[in-house]
Coordinates of all heavy atoms in Angstrom, one line a residue:
L15 N -44.6 26.5 -7.1 CA -43.5 26.3 -8.0 C -42.5 27.5 -8.0 O -41.3 27.3 -8.0 CB -44.1 26.2 -9.4 CG -44.7 24.8 -9.8 CD1 -45.3 24.9 -11.2 CD2 -43.7 23.7 -9.7
F16 N -43.1 28.7 -7.9 CA -42.2 29.8 -7.8 C -41.3 29.8 -6.5 O -40.1 30.0 -6.6 CB -43.0 31.1 -7.8 CG -42.2 32.3 -7.4 CD1 -41.2 32.8 -8.2 CD2 -42.5 33.0 -6.2 CE1 -40.4 33.9 -7.7 CE2 -41.7 34.0 -5.7 CZ -40.7 34.5 -6.5
R17 N -41.9 29.4 -5.4 CA -41.2 29.3 -4.2 C -40.2 28.2 -4.2 O -39.1 28.3 -3.6 CB -42.1 29.1 -3.0 CG -43.0 30.4 -2.8 CD -44.0 30.2 -1.7 NE -44.8 31.4 -1.6 CZ -45.9 31.5 -0.8 NH1 -46.4 30.4 -0.2 NH2 -46.6 32.6 -0.8
L18 N -40.5 27.1 -4.9 CA -39.6 26.0 -5.1 C -38.3 26.4 -5.7 O -37.2 26.0 -5.4 CB -40.2 24.8 -5.9 CG -41.3 24.0 -5.3 CD1 -41.8 23.0 -6.3 CD2 -40.9 23.4 -4.0
N19 N -38.4 27.3 -6.7 CA -37.3 27.6 -7.6 C -36.7 29.0 -7.3 O -35.9 29.5 -8.0 CB -37.7 27.6 -9.0 CG -36.6 27.3 -10.0 OD1 -35.7 26.5 -9.7 ND2 -36.6 27.9 -11.1
F20 N -37.1 29.6 -6.2 CA -36.8 31.0 -5.9 C -35.3 31.2 -5.8 O -34.7 32.2 -6.2 CB -37.5 31.6 -4.7 CG -36.9 31.1 -3.4 CD1 -36.0 31.9 -2.8 CD2 -37.3 29.9 -2.8 CE1 -35.4 31.4 -1.6 CE2 -36.8 29.5 -1.6 CZ -35.8 30.2 -1.0
D21 N -34.6 30.2 -5.2 CA -33.2 30.4 -4.9 C -32.4 30.5 -6.2 O -31.6 31.4 -6.4 CB -32.7 29.2 -4.1 CG -31.2 29.4 -3.6 OD1 -30.9 30.5 -3.1 OD2 -30.4 28.5 -3.8
D22 N -32.7 29.6 -7.2 CA -32.1 29.7 -8.5 C -32.5 31.0 -9.2 O -31.7 31.6 -9.9 CB -32.4 28.5 -9.3 CG -31.8 27.2 -8.8 OD1 -30.7 27.4 -8.2 OD2 -32.3 26.1 -9.0
D23 N -33.7 31.4 -9.1 CA -34.2 32.6 -9.7 C -33.4 33.8 -9.2 O -33.0 34.7 -10.0 CB -35.7 32.9 -9.4 CG -36.6 31.9 -10.2 OD1 -36.1 31.3 -11.2 OD2 -37.7 31.7 -9.8
M24 N -33.2 33.9 -7.9 CA -32.5 35.0 -7.3 C -31.0 35.0 -7.8 O -30.4 36.1 -8.0 CB -32.6 35.0 -5.8 CG -34.0 35.3 -5.3 SD -34.5 37.0 -5.8 CE -36.2 37.0 -5.5
K25 N -30.4 33.8 -7.9 CA -29.0 33.8 -8.4 C -29.0 34.2 -9.8 O -28.0 35.0 -10.2 CB -28.5 32.3 -8.3 CG -28.2 31.9 -6.8 CD -27.8 30.4 -6.8 CE -27.6 30.0 -5.3 NZ -27.2 28.5 -5.3
M26 N -30.0 33.9 -10.6 CA -30.0 34.3 -12.0 C -30.2 35.8 -12.1 O -29.5 36.5 -12.8 CB -31.1 33.6 -12.8 CG -31.3 34.0 -14.2 SD -32.7 33.4 -15.0 CE -34.0 34.2 -14.1
M27 N -31.1 36.3 -11.2 CA -31.4 37.7 -11.2 C -30.2 38.5 -10.8 O -29.9 39.6 -11.4 CB -32.5 38.1 -10.2 CG -33.9 37.7 -10.8 SD -35.2 37.8 -9.5 CE -34.9 39.4 -8.9
S28 N -29.4 38.0 -9.9 CA -28.2 38.8 -9.5 C -27.2 38.9 -10.6 O -26.3 39.8 -10.5 CB -27.6 38.1 -8.3 OG -27.0 36.8 -8.7
L29 N -27.3 38.1 -11.6 CA -26.3 38.2 -12.7 C -26.8 39.2 -13.7 O -26.0 39.7 -14.6 CB -26.2 36.8 -13.4 CG -25.7 35.7 -12.6 CD1 -25.7 34.4 -13.4 CD2 -24.3 36.0 -12.1
E30 N -28.1 39.6 -13.7 CA -28.6 40.6 -14.6 C -28.1 42.0 -14.2 O -27.6 42.2 -13.1 CB -30.1 40.6 -14.6 CG -30.7 39.2 -14.9 CD -30.4 38.8 -16.4 OE1 -29.9 39.6 -17.1 OE2 -30.7 37.6 -16.7
N31 N -28.3 42.9 -15.1 CA -27.8 44.3 -14.8 C -28.9 45.1 -14.0 O -29.3 46.1 -14.5 CB -27.5 45.0 -16.1 CG -26.9 46.3 -15.9 OD1 -26.2 46.6 -14.9 ND2 -27.0 47.2 -16.9
M32 N -29.3 44.5 -12.9 CA -30.2 45.2 -12.1 C -29.5 46.3 -11.2 O -28.3 46.2 -11.0 CB -31.0 44.2 -11.2 CG -30.2 43.6 -10.1 SD -31.1 42.7 -8.9 CE -31.8 41.4 -9.9
S33 N -30.3 47.2 -10.7 CA -29.7 48.2 -9.8 C -29.1 47.6 -8.6 O -29.6 46.6 -8.1 CB -30.7 49.3 -9.5 OG -31.7 48.7 -8.6
R34 N -28.1 48.3 -8.0 CA -27.5 47.8 -6.8 C -28.5 47.7 -5.6 O -28.4 46.7 -4.9 CB -26.3 48.7 -6.4 CG -25.5 48.2 -5.2 CD -24.3 49.2 -5.0 NE -23.4 49.2 -6.1 CZ -22.4 50.0 -6.2 NH1 -22.1 50.8 -5.2 NH2 -21.6 50.0 -7.2
F35 N -29.4 48.7 -5.6 CA -30.3 48.7 -4.5 C -31.3 47.5 -4.6 O -31.7 46.9 -3.6 CB -31.1 50.0 -4.4 CG -32.1 50.1 -3.3 CD1 -31.7 50.3 -2.0 CD2 -33.4 49.8 -3.5 CE1 -32.5 50.4 -0.9 CE2 -34.3 49.9 -2.4 CZ -33.9 50.2 -1.2
L36 N -31.7 47.2 -5.8 CA -32.6 46.1 -6.0 C -32.0 44.8 -5.7 O -32.6 43.9 -5.1 CB -33.1 46.0 -7.5 CG -34.1 44.9 -7.9 CD1 -35.3 44.9 -6.9 CD2 -34.5 45.0 -9.3
K37 N -30.7 44.6 -6.0 CA -30.0 43.4 -5.6 C -30.0 43.2 -4.0 O -30.3 42.2 -3.5 CB -28.5 43.4 -6.0 CG -28.3 43.3 -7.5 CD -26.9 43.3 -7.9 CE -26.6 43.2 -9.4 NZ -25.2 43.3 -9.7
W38 N -29.7 44.3 -3.4 CA -29.7 44.3 -1.9 C -31.1 44.0 -1.4 O -31.3 43.2 -0.5 CB -29.3 45.7 -1.4 CG -29.4 45.8 0.1 CD1 -28.5 45.4 1.1 CD2 -30.5 46.4 0.8 NE1 -29.0 45.7 2.3 CE2 -30.2 46.3 2.2 CE3 -31.7 47.0 0.4 CZ2 -31.1 46.8 3.2 CZ3 -32.5 47.5 1.4 CH2 -32.2 47.4 2.8
W39 N -32.1 44.7 -1.9 CA -33.5 44.5 -1.5 C -34.0 43.1 -1.7 O -34.6 42.5 -0.8 CB -34.4 45.5 -2.2 CG -35.9 45.5 -1.8 CD1 -36.4 46.1 -0.7 CD2 -36.9 44.7 -2.3 NE1 -37.8 45.8 -0.6 CE2 -38.1 45.0 -1.6 CE3 -37.0 43.8 -3.4 CZ2 -39.3 44.4 -1.9 CZ3 -38.2 43.2 -3.7 CH2 -39.3 43.5 -3.0
S40 N -33.8 42.6 -2.9 CA -34.3 41.2 -3.2 C -33.6 40.2 -2.3 O -34.3 39.2 -1.9 CB -34.0 40.9 -4.7 OG -32.6 40.9 -5.0
H41 N -32.3 40.3 -2.1 CA -31.7 39.2 -1.2 C -32.0 39.4 0.2 O -32.1 38.4 1.0 CB -30.2 39.3 -1.5 CG -29.8 38.7 -2.8 ND1 -29.7 37.3 -3.0 CD2 -29.5 39.3 -4.0 CE1 -29.3 37.1 -4.2 NE2 -29.2 38.2 -4.9
R42 N -32.1 40.7 0.7 CA -32.4 40.9 2.1 C -33.8 40.5 2.5 O -34.1 39.9 3.5 CB -32.2 42.4 2.4 CG -32.4 42.7 3.9 CD -32.0 44.1 4.2 NE -32.3 44.5 5.6 CZ -31.5 44.2 6.6 NH1 -30.4 43.6 6.5 NH2 -31.9 44.6 7.9
Y43 N -34.8 40.9 1.6 CA -36.2 40.7 2.0 C -36.8 39.5 1.3 O -37.4 38.6 1.9 CB -37.0 42.0 1.7 CG -36.6 43.1 2.7 CD1 -35.8 44.1 2.2 CD2 -37.1 43.1 4.0 CE1 -35.4 45.1 3.1 CE2 -36.7 44.1 4.9 CZ -35.9 45.1 4.4 OH -35.5 46.1 5.3
Y44 N -36.7 39.5 -0.1 CA -37.4 38.5 -0.9 C -36.9 37.1 -0.6 O -37.7 36.2 -0.4 CB -37.3 38.9 -2.3 CG -38.6 38.6 -3.1 CD1 -39.8 39.2 -2.7 CD2 -38.6 37.7 -4.2 CE1 -41.0 39.0 -3.4 CE2 -39.8 37.5 -4.8 CZ -41.0 38.1 -4.4 OH -42.1 37.8 -5.1
C45 N -35.6 36.9 -0.6 CA -35.0 35.6 -0.3 C -35.4 35.1 1.1 O -35.8 33.9 1.2 CB -33.5 35.6 -0.5 SG -33.0 35.6 -2.2
R46 N -35.2 36.0 2.1 CA -35.5 35.5 3.4 C -37.0 35.2 3.6 O -37.4 34.2 4.2 CB -35.2 36.7 4.4 CG -33.7 36.9 4.6 CD -33.4 38.0 5.6 NE -32.0 38.2 5.8 CZ -31.5 39.1 6.6 NH1 -32.3 39.9 7.3 NH2 -30.2 39.3 6.7
W47 N -37.9 35.9 2.9 CA -39.3 35.7 3.0 C -39.6 34.3 2.4 O -40.4 33.5 3.0 CB -40.1 36.8 2.2 CG -41.5 36.6 2.1 CD1 -42.5 36.8 3.1 CD2 -42.3 36.2 1.0 NE1 -43.7 36.5 2.6 CE2 -43.6 36.1 1.3 CE3 -41.9 35.8 -0.3 CZ2 -44.6 35.8 0.4 CZ3 -42.9 35.4 -1.2 CH2 -44.2 35.4 -0.8
N48 N -39.1 34.0 1.2 CA -39.3 32.7 0.6 C -38.7 31.6 1.3 O -39.3 30.5 1.4 CB -38.8 32.8 -0.9 CG -39.9 33.4 -1.8 OD1 -41.0 32.9 -1.9 ND2 -39.5 34.5 -2.4
L49 N -37.5 31.8 1.9 CA -36.9 30.7 2.7 C -37.8 30.4 3.8 O -38.0 29.2 4.1 CB -35.5 31.2 3.1 CG -34.3 30.8 2.3 CD1 -33.1 31.5 2.8 CD2 -34.1 29.3 2.2
R50 N -38.3 31.4 4.5 CA -39.1 31.1 5.7 C -40.4 30.4 5.3 O -40.8 29.5 6.0 CB -39.4 32.5 6.4 CG -40.2 32.3 7.7 CD -40.3 33.7 8.4 NE -41.0 34.7 7.7 CZ -40.4 35.7 7.1 NH1 -39.1 35.9 7.3 NH2 -41.1 36.6 6.5
N51 N -41.0 30.9 4.2 CA -42.3 30.2 3.8 C -42.1 28.8 3.3 O -42.9 27.9 3.6 CB -42.9 31.1 2.7 CG -43.6 32.3 3.2 OD1 -43.8 32.5 4.4 ND2 -44.0 33.2 2.3
A52 N -41.0 28.6 2.6 CA -40.7 27.3 2.1 C -40.4 26.3 3.2 O -40.9 25.1 3.2 CB -39.5 27.3 1.1
K53 N -39.7 26.7 4.2 CA -39.4 25.8 5.3 C -40.6 25.6 6.1 O -40.8 24.5 6.6 CB -38.2 26.4 6.1 CG -36.9 26.3 5.4 CD -35.7 26.8 6.3 CE -34.4 26.6 5.6 NZ -33.3 27.1 6.4
A54 N -41.4 26.6 6.3 CA -42.6 26.4 7.1 C -43.6 25.4 6.4 O -44.3 24.6 7.0 CB -43.3 27.8 7.3
H55 N -43.6 25.5 5.1 CA -44.5 24.6 4.3 C -43.9 23.2 4.3 O -44.7 22.2 4.3 CB -44.6 25.1 2.8 CG -45.4 24.3 2.0 ND1 -45.0 23.2 1.3 CD2 -46.7 24.4 1.6 CE1 -45.9 22.6 0.6 NE2 -47.0 23.3 0.8
G56 N -42.6 23.1 4.4 CA -42.0 21.8 4.5 C -41.2 21.5 3.2 O -40.2 20.7 3.3
I57 N -41.5 22.1 2.1 CA -40.8 21.9 0.8 C -39.4 22.4 0.9 O -38.5 21.8 0.2 CB -41.6 22.6 -0.3 CG1 -41.2 21.9 -1.7 CG2 -41.3 24.0 -0.4 CD1 -41.7 20.5 -1.8
G58 N -39.1 23.4 1.7 CA -37.8 23.9 1.8 C -36.8 23.0 2.6 O -35.6 23.3 2.7
R59 N -37.3 21.9 3.1 CA -36.4 21.0 3.8 C -35.9 19.8 2.9 O -35.1 19.0 3.3 CB -37.2 20.4 5.0 CG -37.7 21.4 5.9 CD -38.6 20.8 7.0 NE -39.3 21.9 7.7 CZ -38.8 22.6 8.8 NH1 -37.6 22.3 9.2 NH2 -39.5 23.5 9.4
H60 N -36.4 19.8 1.6 CA -36.0 18.8 0.7 C -34.7 19.2 0.0 O -34.3 20.4 0.0 CB -37.0 18.5 -0.4 CG -38.3 17.9 0.2 ND1 -38.3 16.8 1.0 CD2 -39.6 18.3 0.0 CE1 -39.6 16.5 1.3 NE2 -40.4 17.4 0.7
S61 N -34.0 18.2 -0.6 CA -32.8 18.5 -1.4 C -33.1 19.2 -2.7 O -34.3 19.2 -3.1 CB -32.0 17.2 -1.7 OG -32.7 16.4 -2.6
K62 N -32.2 19.8 -3.3 CA -32.4 20.5 -4.6 C -32.9 19.5 -5.7 O -33.8 19.8 -6.4 CB -31.1 21.1 -5.2 CG -30.7 22.4 -4.5 CD -31.5 23.5 -5.0 CE -31.1 24.8 -4.4 NZ -31.9 25.9 -4.9

């Protein structure tokens, strides 16, 4: 469920007053990691 909704979670997080480095880290590593896992699982190939 977390992986299903990670894209929206990351967009929401980017709106918060997080540090600049955390924004960079989360989008560079965390988003890519979840995208790869979601697509490998198959769920990442479905529509929103």
Side-chain angles (χ1 to χ4, degrees):
L15 283 176
F16 165 68
R17 291 173 182 170
L18 289 179
N19 205 39
F20 77 93
D21 188 47
D22 290 335
D23 287 342
M24 287 302 165
K25 288 177 182 176
M26 178 188 69
M27 284 168 54
S28 67
L29 298 177
E30 305 291 353
N31 187 26
M32 67 170 67
S33 68
R34 184 177 300 176
F35 183 78
L36 178 55
K37 289 181 183 179
W38 173 84
W39 182 88
S40 63
H41 285 280
R42 181 175 176 84
Y43 292 102
Y44 218 59
C45 284
R46 289 182 181 179
W47 176 77
N48 276 300
L49 267 173
R50 185 170 61 250
N51 283 349
K53 287 184 177 179
H55 182 273
I57 200 71
R59 304 174 191 274
H60 295 308
S61 68
K62 284 284 185 180

